[in-house]
Amino acid sequence: LAQDLARIFNNSYGELFPEPRALLSATRKVKSLRNPSAKMSKSDPQTVATITMTDSPDDIALKIRRAVTDFTSEVTFDPETRPGVSNLVMIHAAMAKISVEEALLQARGMDTGAYKGLVSEAVIQRLTPIREEIQRLRADRVHLEGLLAQGKHRARELAAPVLAEARHRVGFC
């Protein structure tokens, strides 16, 4: 929406707004742990299908343990024929900041059950500092409200000249 609005305004009134661009990692879509043909979504009715930033290590391990795989115990990467296992490999690679090939090397000799433990460790290690910082910020409400007020003030400072120019270009001033 922001991209469309910037483009429409710029085409009508001259270049003013930069067009927003998506910042994407190599991992485009994380698939659901329960249905690897669908995207992982916080609106999924199955809470075990999605890992959230605030999940406890025990919750993360449980969700990954219950992740859908198949009856072949070897860990391979083939999204077409083995979507569940391939999803775990993608999650492992993304969380450990390694390539899919490196994730497969680490999985060599493991069955999918043992590999789920390795994936859990990688996810827990990556999300623990984030979860702890969220908890710290939530606990210090005064600090958080101060940051929000500071951000609001700074955003208004930055937006004021752009908003004035936009109003001028469309004839409101």
Side-chain angles (χ1 to χ4, degrees):
L1 177 63
Q3 196 174 45
D4 288 344
L5 291 173
R7 188 177 306 121
I8 291 166
F9 184 94
N10 291 342
N11 287 338
S12 299
Y13 301 103
E15 290 292 318
L16 179 63
F17 297 109
E19 278 190 38
R21 298 279 179 233
L23 297 175
L24 301 174
S25 68
T27 307
R28 297 277 171 124
K29 287 183 186 174
V30 178
K31 302 292 186 173
S32 166
L33 295 174
R34 300 300 296 161
N35 177 9
S37 64
K39 185 178 87 163
M40 188 180 282
S41 171
K42 63 185 175 191
S43 62
D44 193 316
Q46 293 187 59
T47 57
V48 294
T50 304
I51 298 170
T52 67
M53 302 273 240
T54 55
D55 279 344
S56 72
D58 289 341
D59 288 341
I60 292 169
L62 176 69
K63 289 176 179 184
I64 292 174
R65 241 188 345 267
R66 291 186 176 170
V68 170
T69 53
D70 54 33
F71 297 109
T72 305
S73 63
E74 182 184 9
V75 177
T76 60
F77 185 75
D78 185 354
E80 294 300 316
T81 61
R82 300 194 70 205
V85 176
S86 298
N87 187 37
L88 290 175
V89 172
M90 289 292 293
I91 292 169
H92 177 210
M95 292 290 108
K97 294 184 178 181
I98 58 177
S99 68
V100 167
E101 292 77 20
E102 289 173 291
L104 289 171
L105 282 174
Q106 290 183 15
R108 184 172 285 154
M110 290 183 173
D111 64 10
T112 53
Y115 185 62
K116 286 178 178 182
L118 183 63
V119 176
S120 295
E121 288 174 31
V123 173
I124 291 166
Q125 184 175 358
R126 184 73 180 273
L127 295 184
T128 294
I130 297 167
R131 186 186 73 256
E132 289 173 351
E133 181 65 6
I134 290 169
Q135 289 170 338
R136 184 188 72 75
L137 288 170
R138 284 182 175 165
D140 191 352
R141 191 159 186 86
V142 172
H143 174 69
L144 190 56
E145 287 174 358
L147 285 175
L148 290 171
Q150 185 181 3
K152 178 176 85 174
H153 176 72
R154 181 72 178 131
R156 285 187 174 161
E157 265 180 13
L158 292 171
V162 177
L163 184 57
E165 179 62 22
R167 283 184 176 142
H168 175 73
R169 288 188 187 192
V170 297
F172 288 160
C173 301

